[in-house]
Amino acid sequence: MSTDVVIVNYNAGNLLADCVQSVLAEGACHVFVVDNDSHDDSLAHLSASISDACVTIIRNGQNLGFAAACNMGARASNASTLLFLNPDSVLAEGSLRRMMEVLESDSSIGMVGGLLCNPDGSEQPGGRRVFPTPRRAFMRAFGLSHLGKWFPSLFSDFLLHKEPLPLAPTPVEAISGACMLVKREAVEDVGLWDEGYFLHCEDLDWCMRFRLNNWRVVFVPDARVIHVWGACSRSRPFFVEWHKHHGMLRFYNKFFRKQYPGPLWWLVVLGVWLRFGLVSTYFAARLALAQIKGALRGGVRA
């Protein structure tokens, strides 16, 4: 298979070596690990675990963001297909070949993604979805999307993981950047990742641009990918949430701004930052509670 793999690493620990091993076992031609200035032992563990000329490590002196690092890997490769894979993911046996079969089955398909699973085998959210318009995002953010079972036209969610799993590859509006297999031909037509995003929503942006350029995006339910969700980001929730919400606004501004003129647009902006405030308050409360519990345990031991 003329497929190269791009893995953007940031403090993935031992998971990185497992990820690289899984793609080599699946027959990838070359693996480009683009490291965004990790401070853990992930690269040392990778080098100690895997000695293979098919693995290239590209070291950045600073964290350039996910999109910029993906582009570095894409430019380093000359393969006809590229798999962008998170370092906290492991390909199940046969999954890469299955995704390749679907990608090559139709000239209009430009991107495919597999079934993202938790370690217990359950499906994760985000692997198949429709675009999170401001309205859909509002419904989900404020707990109204559960009303979609009765009023789908008004309260529908943009995540599809609670829908029945399709029996065959199915076109969707968007998949997750945790696992994206793309044709080089489509990338040259659409363009590389938008480096204006630092972390989060760059995958939605790319899916939207593929769609606008008439390239189909397909979800492959029988290509399983085990994903340890959030393994690289849970230690810095405020940083992640800031860039997630900044990315949401960039995405909305690029593709939905004309649909929300005047004061309505500023309500969208207000809603995004209101959500950021609520999420940040939640994480701050969790951190304070953990510190109090730690202090109490320390006092008991003393």
Side-chain angles (χ1 to χ4, degrees):
M1 292 182 290
S2 57
T3 304
D4 284 352
V5 182
V6 177
I7 300 171
V8 177
N9 180 58
Y10 183 78
N11 296 334
N14 295 350
L15 295 172
L16 174 63
D18 295 337
C19 178
V20 172
Q21 186 61 56
S22 76
V23 297
L24 291 176
E26 283 295 285
C29 290
H30 204 98
V31 182
F32 294 92
V33 177
V34 185
D35 186 75
N36 266 338
D37 195 27
S38 293
H39 302 295
D40 67 350
D41 62 351
S42 53
L43 293 183
H45 182 72
L46 173 64
S47 299
S49 304
I50 301 174
S51 178
D52 195 313
C54 294
V55 179
T56 298
I57 299 175
I58 301 173
R59 299 173 185 261
N60 293 324
Q62 58 181 320
N63 190 344
L64 300 178
F66 182 75
C70 282
N71 287 344
M72 292 181 69
R75 294 188 185 103
S77 167
N78 59 8
S80 59
T81 56
L82 286 166
L83 174 65
F84 296 90
L85 189 66
N86 273 18
D88 49 7
S89 302
V90 171
L91 296 180
E93 183 178 355
S95 58
L96 180 55
R97 183 169 298 278
R98 178 58 179 146
M99 286 190 287
M100 282 287 292
E101 289 173 352
V102 175
L103 187 69
E104 295 177 346
S105 67
D106 192 313
S107 61
S108 68
I109 299 176
M111 175 191 298
V112 303
L115 175 64
L116 294 182
C117 299
N118 296 304
D120 65 3
S122 59
E123 183 180 0
Q124 284 183 357
R128 49 179 174 136
R129 47 187 166 167
V130 296
F131 291 119
T133 63
R135 181 185 62 80
R136 288 172 177 154
F138 177 86
M139 296 302 171
R140 180 169 180 81
F142 294 97
L144 300 175
S145 57
H146 71 278
L147 298 175
K149 64 178 69 175
W150 297 290
F151 308 101
S153 61
L154 292 176
F155 300 103
S156 59
D157 199 347
F158 55 85
L159 300 175
L160 302 177
H161 65 290
K162 293 183 179 180
E163 300 291 326
L165 193 67
L167 301 178
T170 304
V172 293
E173 290 187 357
I175 56 176
S176 170
C179 177
M180 284 180 163
L181 181 67
V182 300
K183 288 177 180 173
R184 173 75 66 176
E185 176 190 0
V187 174
E188 291 174 350
D189 179 43
V190 173
L192 291 169
W193 299 73
D194 182 352
E195 297 183 14
Y197 298 91
F198 186 86
L199 184 66
H200 285 291
C201 295
E202 62 282 290
D203 51 357
L204 290 169
D205 181 290
W206 219 22
C207 288
M208 178 68 83
R209 287 159 53 206
F210 269 65
R211 183 181 180 88
L212 293 176
N213 282 50
N214 298 314
W215 291 99
R216 289 199 296 159
V217 176
V218 175
F219 169 71
V220 186
D222 52 343
R224 298 175 67 85
V225 181
I226 307 304
H227 182 213
V228 185
W229 196 18
C232 301
S233 60
R234 63 170 61 102
S235 63
R236 45 181 187 150
F238 297 104
F239 176 88
V240 170
E241 289 298 329
W242 167 263
H243 285 291
K244 179 186 292 185
H245 287 77
H246 185 271
M248 289 167 62
L249 280 180
R250 181 175 180 83
F251 178 72
Y252 293 157
N253 192 46
K254 285 182 67 172
F255 301 110
F256 297 100
R257 179 70 174 85
K258 293 180 180 179
Q259 300 177 25
Y260 294 84
L264 195 56
W265 167 249
W266 292 110
L267 285 176
V268 171
V269 174
L270 177 63
V272 169
W273 290 120
L274 175 61
R275 184 186 185 280
F276 173 72
L278 293 173
V279 172
S280 297
T281 301
Y282 167 75
F283 282 122
R286 283 185 57 182
L287 178 61
L289 184 60
Q291 291 175 338
I292 292 171
K293 288 181 177 179
L296 292 174
R297 284 196 294 268
V300 171
R301 286 195 297 269

